Amino acid sequence: MRGPLFKTALTTSLLATLTACSGDDSSSSKSGYIQLYNGSYNSPYTRLFIEDAERSGTDFGGVTTRHNYSANNYDVSFKYLDANDSYITISEKAVSVKDDMTQLWVMNGDFSEPTFSELSVPTGSDEGAINLGFFNIAGEDISFDVYLANDDGLFETAELIASPRYLNELALQSFDEGYYTLYLTQSGSTDVLFESASIYLNDDASYVAMIRSSYATEEHGITLDLVTSSNTVTTLKHQNAQGQLRFINTIDDYPQTSFSATRGSASSTSQVTANDSYSNYIELAPNSYSIAMLDEQGNAIVDNFLLTLEREQSNVGVFYKDKDYGPRMMTVKETLTPSSYSHKVTVVNLIDSYAGQNITDVDVVFTLNGETVDDAKNIIDGIDQYDQEDQVVDNEIYTTYVLYEDNGQQIVLMQQGDMDFSQEGNYILILEHDETTSTGYKMTLERTVTDSVE
């Protein structure tokens, strides 16, 4: 599997790059960059400090802003904010900025003991060419062969270009700019584990492809994060990856229901599930589907709701009763990353009335022990009826309030103590009416997390 891929036979290792660019000239006319890539799967939002000044931060799978500094030595640290808004230092490093180079720091592994690696990456490449290298943070127990295909994009015509092991030395290679398809196999095998979409790699740029676990719907799935001179990451997903759907019916009129997803003549149906309970997952190819909710006999209660599913995406179809229009469906995207230190909570508001009057929105406040509603930092201020909003909370136990303002007076529609957000993953919190409770309302909390946690 050979092809005319190389522009030159140049392969530049990290060691050679460091040697070539480690001169003592710290003239202000020369400058480079410092940047952080967060590959720690269960990390909180991590912040980059340079000379004790906070510069920017990033979540898992992202990069910070690329910060320009004169060629010199700098003290760099990586920190996060705990539940008390105190900065906690993760690691401190001495960094030597070099002319026309980016000192790209890679944080990976379990956040309780993360690993930091420094990659020295040229800020550009030759005219009409790109630099491309691979850094494996997927795990110590697996190494890869990387194949690159152009023109037809077929694996059969692709060329083996790299075999990165865990935390390998970065080797940059030069290729013509253009469209390419990337393939990954386990080292020594030709069974494809990962196939990217056809991507265009622009000239005069350096690309570092971070090979990491996807932590999504695919068991042992792989994702490639392309890091360039920009301040964003291009995430490449496996072209054969599936998505998944599940459902919840919050309408008390229908105590037992199932759900179907149809495309053309093909239909997939969930198991029968009690209302206010989540159905089993249905694994489907990425596409758009027509969704129906069925009674126990399999007859459609409502149907033809559109739901679109992407690769490695996990969606929930929430069925609810609109007071004006009857049964409706809302799509909620589940976040499956195994977050340990902070968690995304997607709040779904199905509350539309209080004491006979219409409610257009409510406030949701997460309070820690000893913290008042006014003091709380975790607040969703005005979530509309039949809508959803996200809030990030710390790895703590909260008392959660749902508030409605009536003529200047705040009304507690409901509250729930000991709401535990201390397990790995993220959460969906559904607010709805419930005539069987003393308040007339209830909250339903569901944790969402990948099955492929290390």
Side-chain angles (χ1 to χ4, degrees):
M1 288 179 287
R2 304 285 297 178
L5 299 178
F6 288 101
K7 178 180 177 68
T8 69
L10 172 65
T11 299
T12 306
S13 72
L14 175 60
L15 179 61
T17 300
L18 288 172
T19 302
C21 302
S22 60
D24 294 329
D25 186 356
S26 58
S27 168
S28 61
S29 64
K30 296 184 177 181
S31 67
Y33 299 87
I34 300 174
Q35 190 174 31
L36 168 68
Y37 169 82
N38 184 354
S40 176
Y41 64 91
N42 59 347
S43 63
Y45 185 82
T46 301
R47 300 158 193 267
L48 171 64
F49 282 73
I50 304 174
E51 294 293 312
D52 293 327
E54 182 178 351
R55 299 310 311 269
S56 57
T58 182
D59 290 307
F60 169 61
V63 291
T64 64
T65 300
R66 198 176 62 139
H67 299 285
N68 183 245
Y69 280 83
S70 298
N72 212 327
N73 298 321
Y74 298 90
D75 292 327
V76 170
S77 58
F78 310 97
K79 304 181 182 183
Y80 73 98
L81 280 175
D82 68 6
N84 297 316
D85 283 341
S86 298
Y87 285 106
I88 306 300
T89 299
I90 309 163
S91 184
E92 297 177 321
K93 305 291 182 182
V95 178
S96 178
V97 171
K98 304 168 185 65
D99 190 34
D100 290 333
M101 303 292 290
T102 298
Q103 302 310 119
L104 176 61
W105 283 90
V106 179
M107 180 178 75
N108 79 286
D110 189 329
F111 190 71
S112 63
E113 292 183 294
T115 298
F116 285 86
S117 304
E118 183 181 15
L119 309 181
S120 195
V121 184
T123 57
S125 64
D126 294 336
E127 184 177 353
I130 58 101
N131 292 324
L132 177 62
F134 299 86
F135 194 65
N136 176 10
I137 60 171
E140 297 182 63
D141 57 345
I142 185 169
S143 58
F144 300 94
D145 287 339
V146 180
Y147 293 82
L148 189 64
N150 62 0
D151 299 329
D152 58 17
L154 298 177
F155 180 66
E156 288 72 20
T157 61
E159 179 161 2
L160 176 63
I161 62 168
S163 298
R165 298 183 177 276
Y166 182 63
L167 302 185
N168 57 285
E169 182 179 275
L170 180 67
L172 294 173
Q173 301 178 58
S174 180
F175 302 95
D176 292 326
E177 68 168 323
Y179 285 96
Y180 293 98
T181 301
L182 291 163
Y183 292 92
L184 267 65
T185 70
Q186 193 163 349
S187 288
S189 170
T190 55
D191 295 332
V192 175
L193 300 175
F194 175 92
E195 174 190 352
S196 77
S198 178
I199 54 170
Y200 191 84
L201 302 181
N202 292 294
D203 69 333
D204 196 28
S206 291
Y207 295 84
V208 178
M210 304 292 178
I211 306 173
R212 65 169 175 86
S213 298
S214 60
Y215 296 111
T217 59
E218 296 285 300
E219 188 175 3
H220 308 303
I222 297 296
T223 293
L224 291 188
D225 284 335
L226 286 184
V227 179
T228 67
S229 58
S230 71
N231 298 323
T232 59
V233 165
T234 299
T235 299
L236 304 180
K237 298 178 180 180
H238 181 29
Q239 289 301 286
N240 291 328
Q242 301 290 289
Q244 63 185 23
L245 301 175
R246 63 174 173 164
F247 303 90
I248 182 171
N249 167 36
T250 68
I251 306 173
D252 293 336
D253 298 341
Y254 311 112
Q256 297 282 333
T257 55
S258 61
F259 309 89
S260 68
T262 302
R263 177 174 171 79
S265 60
S267 184
S268 299
T269 303
S270 74
Q271 298 172 353
V272 175
T273 308
N275 71 307
D276 291 327
S277 298
Y278 285 81
S279 75
N280 60 298
Y281 281 110
I282 301 174
E283 186 178 85
L284 294 170
N287 231 312
S288 294
Y289 295 89
S290 177
I291 305 300
M293 182 168 68
L294 315 172
D295 63 19
E296 290 182 82
Q297 288 72 43
N299 301 311
I301 300 170
V302 287
D303 57 12
N304 298 324
F305 290 113
L306 180 67
L307 189 150
T308 297
L309 188 65
E310 305 290 344
R311 290 177 180 84
E312 298 182 359
Q313 188 176 77
S314 185
N315 285 344
V316 179
V318 179
F319 282 84
Y320 65 96
K321 188 173 184 179
D322 185 303
K323 61 184 177 60
D324 295 322
Y325 301 105
R328 289 290 184 268
M329 189 192 78
M330 179 192 309
T331 301
V332 177
K333 294 180 181 179
E334 294 184 309
T335 302
L336 300 181
T337 52
S339 309
S340 296
Y341 291 77
S342 59
H343 313 272
K344 186 177 82 170
V345 184
T346 300
V347 180
V348 177
N349 177 26
L350 305 180
I351 297 174
D352 54 30
S353 64
Y354 165 71
Q357 58 183 309
N358 183 58
I359 289 181
T360 59
D361 62 73
V362 298
D363 299 332
V364 181
V365 186
F366 302 90
T367 64
L368 294 168
N369 185 35
E371 187 177 55
T372 70
V373 165
D374 293 332
D375 295 334
K377 69 172 184 178
N378 296 304
I379 300 173
I380 298 179
D381 187 9
I383 175 173
D384 294 334
Q385 63 175 222
Y386 314 138
D387 203 356
Q388 57 182 291
E389 288 194 29
D390 298 332
Q391 176 65 41
V392 176
V393 301
D394 292 305
N395 196 57
E396 300 284 349
I397 296 175
Y398 292 84
T399 296
T400 302
Y401 293 84
V402 179
L403 307 175
Y404 165 64
E405 187 169 316
D406 182 18
N407 196 28
Q409 174 64 52
Q410 283 189 311
I411 306 296
V412 179
L413 298 181
M414 56 177 157
Q415 60 174 298
Q416 183 170 321
D418 297 329
M419 187 169 281
D420 191 348
F421 296 102
S422 62
Q423 296 186 67
E424 281 194 334
N426 299 278
Y427 294 84
I428 297 173
L429 178 61
I430 298 178
L431 316 176
E432 59 178 309
H433 294 272
D434 187 346
E435 295 178 356
T436 66
T437 67
S438 59
T439 63
Y441 307 97
K442 72 175 179 181
M443 309 182 201
T444 302
L445 186 66
E446 176 76 359
R447 184 170 67 103
T448 64
V449 68
T450 179
D451 290 333
S452 57
V453 178
E454 289 186 348

